[in-house]
Amino acid sequence: MDPDALSKAFVEHYYTLFDANRAALANLYQESSMLTFEGQKIQGSQSIVAKLTSLPFQQCQHSITTVDCQPSGPVGGMLVFVSGNLQLSGEQHALKFSQMFHLMPTQQGSFYVLNDIFRLNYA
């Protein structure tokens, strides 16, 4: 599959899950996965999902502006860089964010998130 199409499909899937059911994101991470969320490092699927489900808002809507990708390493990994807007329920203005995913192939032919870095972009 084309890397650009694959990265766009992953991004759509990830943010659809995030916006509808954050707990379901657990399947996209493994115990070796690491999330850096606003500078805080969290390792392991369960810990990552615990962080994401404990964020101080229940409903949100991601709107993606850009998706860039590059192949990474000899085993078929991929770097995916996302920028966009995050609209929180009850808030008038959307927040700008950037997020980077390092995707690695699984033996089943799909991908998991090895590294995930998230930052809000303040003007």
Side-chain angles (χ1 to χ4, degrees):
M1 183 181 224
D2 169 46
D4 288 323
L6 184 64
S7 64
K8 283 182 174 51
F10 168 79
V11 165
E12 184 177 319
H13 179 64
Y14 181 90
Y15 292 111
T16 297
L17 283 178
F18 191 106
D19 294 349
N21 179 13
R22 278 178 251 168
L25 292 170
N27 294 330
L28 298 178
Y29 296 94
Q30 294 185 0
E31 288 314 302
S32 60
S33 299
M34 179 172 275
L35 165 67
T36 302
F37 188 90
E38 291 290 309
Q40 179 187 8
K41 291 178 175 57
I42 301 134
Q43 184 151 12
S45 178
Q46 289 182 331
S47 297
I48 290 169
V49 170
K51 171 64 178 178
L52 297 178
T53 56
S54 71
L55 294 173
F57 53 87
Q58 294 302 311
Q59 293 183 319
C60 66
Q61 182 67 47
H62 288 84
S63 171
I64 305 308
T65 306
T66 63
V67 177
D68 298 299
C69 75
Q70 295 180 353
S72 170
V75 296
M78 192 163 34
L79 292 174
V80 181
F81 183 76
V82 180
S83 65
N85 297 303
L86 175 59
Q87 184 67 53
L88 301 180
S89 181
E91 295 292 326
Q92 184 176 358
H93 300 288
L95 302 169
K96 296 195 178 305
F97 76 94
S98 297
Q99 192 161 11
M100 188 281 305
F101 299 98
H102 187 192
L103 304 179
M104 295 300 288
T106 65
Q107 291 188 352
Q108 295 78 24
S110 63
F111 286 86
Y112 75 95
V113 179
L114 178 61
N115 302 95
D116 179 354
I117 301 174
F118 176 90
R119 279 281 182 184
L120 291 171
N121 299 332
Y122 298 103

